[in-house]
């Protein structure tokens, strides 16, 4: 079934991350991604410039920040770059909504069961305000989206979902969810960290009110640098949790100390992460050179190769859902006769960098890795399973 290389193949795409040179087959983008060459170069340049000149070129830094907002806006199909805030991480975006929304006792929020802690704890924290959090088991339902709808009623204020679930890559139909919420007057929040950079996102088509995603997974960027999208109407419904100079309407004159801007910058209280911005913009440039439609195609092609290969290995069961519309960049599996932790250790020893999540091995290759890498990976898995 598979060919046997001794080292993970490199990428056919110029400037792609080079973890294979260190002997790793990096299929762990759902955790933290290695950087493309241009991202490393951007950080190096930023450091050198700063060491030599300090912020002498600050105007250029601001231009880069604006370009980053525009690029991110285009990536999620936002109508305007003024709908994009640059925050620290996904969690900060989620907390901005959860703690900023004027929720009343008796209101409820609907989320899928088993969400990643960042998309669960901030909502559960609203229980102290008398808010009910309804956690819906989307995996055992015949129709996951319908199960979420069934949990909603006239006191539902918000639906919060991960576009793609972190353990097994279960993908929700954002268009269907968003359109339903819009019709019902329910706010729609999307944690897009496991989707953005791998699969396309369209905030307008999916009627998304709020979206957050950090850069360090599928966007191939640095940690501590996230996008937070909000529509103008939705963000006016959030009380500001942090205030400071950077969120003021006229922040560069330092004169007005009271008026928060109406743009999404109102959620950025203080100085930006200029180095992180340079890094993320470079990473986006790497993705956009291929283009998101082609990136998505390649990600799903890898998923297809992995599922098809894994089901042929004796004793292996794919635990991710296999319907095409549920697929993402993540494929999880278990193997009969092997504990997941033992199998994980064997794969680690073979240089395979993946994750152990929820009792299964989670694989998450990216678009820049092609069929040769999938072939190599399947060979290592087969070896580990039959050992
Ligand atoms: C679904 C999901 N949300 C959020 C995060 C991380 O959030 P943050 O960007 O705040 O670190 C992860 C990381 O694994 C995740 O899988």
């Amino acid at each position: 079934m598979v060919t046997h290389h001794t080292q993970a193949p490199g990428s056919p795409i110029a400037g792609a991350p080079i973890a294979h040179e260190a002997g790793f087959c990096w299929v762990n983008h759902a955790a933290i991604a290695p950087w493309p060459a241009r991202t490393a170069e951007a950080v190096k340049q930023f450091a050198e410039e700063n060491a030599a000149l300090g912020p002498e070129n600050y105007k250029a830094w601001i231009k880069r920040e604006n370009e980053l907002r525009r690029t991110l806006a285009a990536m999620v199909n936002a109508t305007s770059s003024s709908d994009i805030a640059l925050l620290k991480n996904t969690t900060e975006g989620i907390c901005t909504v959860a703690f900023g929304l004027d929720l009343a006792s008796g209101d409820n929020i609907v989320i899928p069961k088993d969400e990643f802690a960042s998309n669960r704890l901030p909502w559960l924290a609203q229980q102290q305000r008398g808010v009910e959090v309804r956690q819906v088991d989307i995996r055992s339902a015949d129709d996951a989206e319908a199960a979420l709808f069934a949990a909603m009623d006239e006191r539902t204020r918000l639906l919060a979902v991960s576009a793609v679930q972190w353990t097994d890559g279960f993908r929700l139909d954002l268009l269907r969810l968003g359109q339903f919420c819009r019709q019902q007057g329910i706010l729609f929040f999307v944690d897009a960290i496991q989707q953005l950079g791998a699969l396309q996102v369209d905030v307008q088509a999916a009627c998304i009110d709020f979206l957050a995603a950090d850069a360090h997974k599928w966007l191939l960027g640095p940690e501590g640098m996230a996008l937070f999208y909000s529509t103008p109407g939705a963000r006016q419904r959030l009380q500001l949790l942090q205030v400071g100079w950077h969120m003021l309407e006229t922040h560069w004159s330092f004169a007005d100390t009271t008026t928060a801007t109406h743009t999404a910058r109102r959620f950025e209280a203080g100085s930006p992460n200029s180095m992180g911005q340079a890094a993320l913009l470079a990473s986006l440039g790497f993705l956009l050179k291929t283009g998101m439609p082609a990136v998505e195609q390649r990600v799903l092609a890898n998923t297809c190769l992995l599922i098809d290969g894994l089901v042929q290995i004796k004793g292996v069961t794919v635990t991710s859902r296999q319907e095409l519309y549920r697929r993402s960049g993540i494929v999880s599996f278990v193997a009969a006769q092997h504990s997941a932790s033992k199998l994980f250790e064997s794969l680690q020893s073979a240089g395979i960098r993946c994750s152990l999540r929820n009792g299964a091995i989670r694989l998450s290759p990216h678009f820049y890795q092609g069929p040769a890498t999938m072939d190599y990976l399947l060979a290592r898995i087969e070896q580990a399973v039959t050992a």
Side-chain angles (χ1 to χ4, degrees):
M1 174 193 69
V2 284
T3 52
H4 290 266
H5 308 272
T6 50
Q7 197 194 335
S11 171
I13 295 182
I18 52 166
H20 64 282
E21 287 183 10
F24 302 129
C25 179
W26 198 277
V27 284
N28 210 13
H29 297 86
I32 299 182
W35 288 355
R38 62 169 74 195
T39 307
E41 191 52 39
V43 171
K44 222 177 345 178
Q45 269 179 21
F46 186 94
E48 281 167 9
E49 180 192 316
N50 211 323
L53 299 170
E56 181 65 18
N57 294 325
Y58 205 84
K59 279 196 177 134
W61 298 9
I62 294 172
K63 256 176 89 176
R64 185 165 51 213
E65 175 177 320
N66 292 335
E67 191 186 343
L68 176 60
R69 277 185 220 276
R70 281 195 302 274
T71 308
L72 287 168
M75 201 161 197
V76 299
N77 195 30
T79 49
S80 164
S81 61
S82 61
D83 293 338
I84 305 293
L86 302 171
L87 302 186
K88 284 199 299 291
N89 47 46
T90 322
T91 307
E92 190 182 11
I94 297 170
C95 288
T96 298
V97 180
F99 291 91
L101 205 56
D102 65 330
L103 297 166
S105 180
D107 286 345
N108 68 70
I109 288 169
V110 173
I111 64 173
K113 187 172 160 280
D114 302 324
E115 277 282 336
F116 187 74
S118 295
N119 194 31
R120 186 160 38 87
L121 300 181
W123 309 117
L124 289 176
Q126 307 317 314
Q127 288 171 335
Q128 70 194 9
R129 295 203 256 172
V131 172
E132 183 193 351
V133 179
R134 299 180 175 171
Q135 301 191 56
V136 177
D137 186 352
I138 54 171
R139 288 185 183 78
S140 63
D142 286 338
D143 179 342
E145 289 77 12
L148 289 163
F149 301 152
M152 298 179 190
D153 59 23
E154 69 285 351
R155 292 300 302 271
T156 304
R157 300 291 308 285
L158 180 131
L159 169 68
V161 303
S162 288
V164 167
Q165 291 291 317
W166 63 293
T167 50
D168 58 359
F170 187 108
R171 179 182 185 177
L172 280 164
D173 183 345
L174 297 183
L175 266 66
R176 194 173 157 209
L177 293 176
Q179 282 166 8
F180 181 88
C181 286
R182 193 60 55 92
Q183 277 162 12
Q184 304 295 317
I186 293 167
L187 289 167
F188 185 33
F189 172 88
V190 175
D191 173 343
I193 195 171
Q194 296 291 5
Q195 171 147 341
L196 193 62
L199 310 174
Q200 296 177 89
V201 174
D202 186 333
V203 291
Q204 293 186 67
C207 303
I208 294 170
D209 295 296
F210 304 109
L211 174 145
D214 206 324
H216 64 272
K217 299 185 192 285
W218 302 92
L219 288 173
L220 300 171
E223 285 190 294
M225 192 66 230
L227 112 113
F228 174 59
Y229 163 84
S230 56
T231 62
R235 66 176 166 269
Q236 292 310 321
R237 296 172 66 172
L238 302 182
Q239 210 170 39
L240 293 174
L241 306 176
Q242 302 181 68
V243 289
W245 74 276
H246 197 264
M247 39 71 80
L248 295 171
E249 188 72 57
T250 53
H251 63 308
W252 284 116
S253 78
F254 305 105
D256 175 4
T257 56
T258 52
T259 320
T261 172
H262 292 292
T263 71
R265 185 167 51 76
R266 68 197 271 106
F267 303 116
E268 302 170 8
S271 292
N273 173 2
S274 302
M275 187 171 66
Q277 290 174 359
L280 177 53
L281 187 59
S283 300
L284 297 180
F286 177 70
L287 287 167
L288 294 175
K289 205 162 78 126
T290 296
M292 283 313 299
V295 166
E296 172 171 321
Q297 233 173 32
R298 295 178 66 111
V299 166
L300 292 174
N302 282 340
T303 293
C304 192
L305 287 174
L306 284 182
I307 290 176
D308 290 353
L310 285 167
V311 297
Q312 286 176 43
I313 300 175
K314 198 162 172 280
V316 164
T317 304
V318 173
T319 53
S320 297
R321 289 280 287 266
Q322 292 177 41
E323 303 96 315
L324 291 178
Y325 68 98
R326 292 287 181 222
R327 291 185 184 186
S328 64
I330 296 174
V331 178
S332 296
F333 72 95
V334 292
Q337 325 284 357
H338 291 269
S339 77
S341 54
K342 279 260 165 57
L343 189 53
F344 178 71
E345 287 310 320
S346 316
L347 292 172
Q348 285 287 109
S349 307
I352 306 300
R353 291 295 176 267
C354 54
S355 286
L356 178 59
R357 293 286 184 271
N358 210 17
I361 304 295
R362 182 184 72 178
L363 307 172
S364 50
H366 211 323
F367 85 101
Y368 64 86
Q369 296 161 310
T373 302
M374 299 311 106
D375 214 25
Y376 175 86
L377 176 60
L378 287 164
R380 298 284 90 73
I381 292 170
E382 187 166 30
Q383 268 174 2
V385 167
T386 51

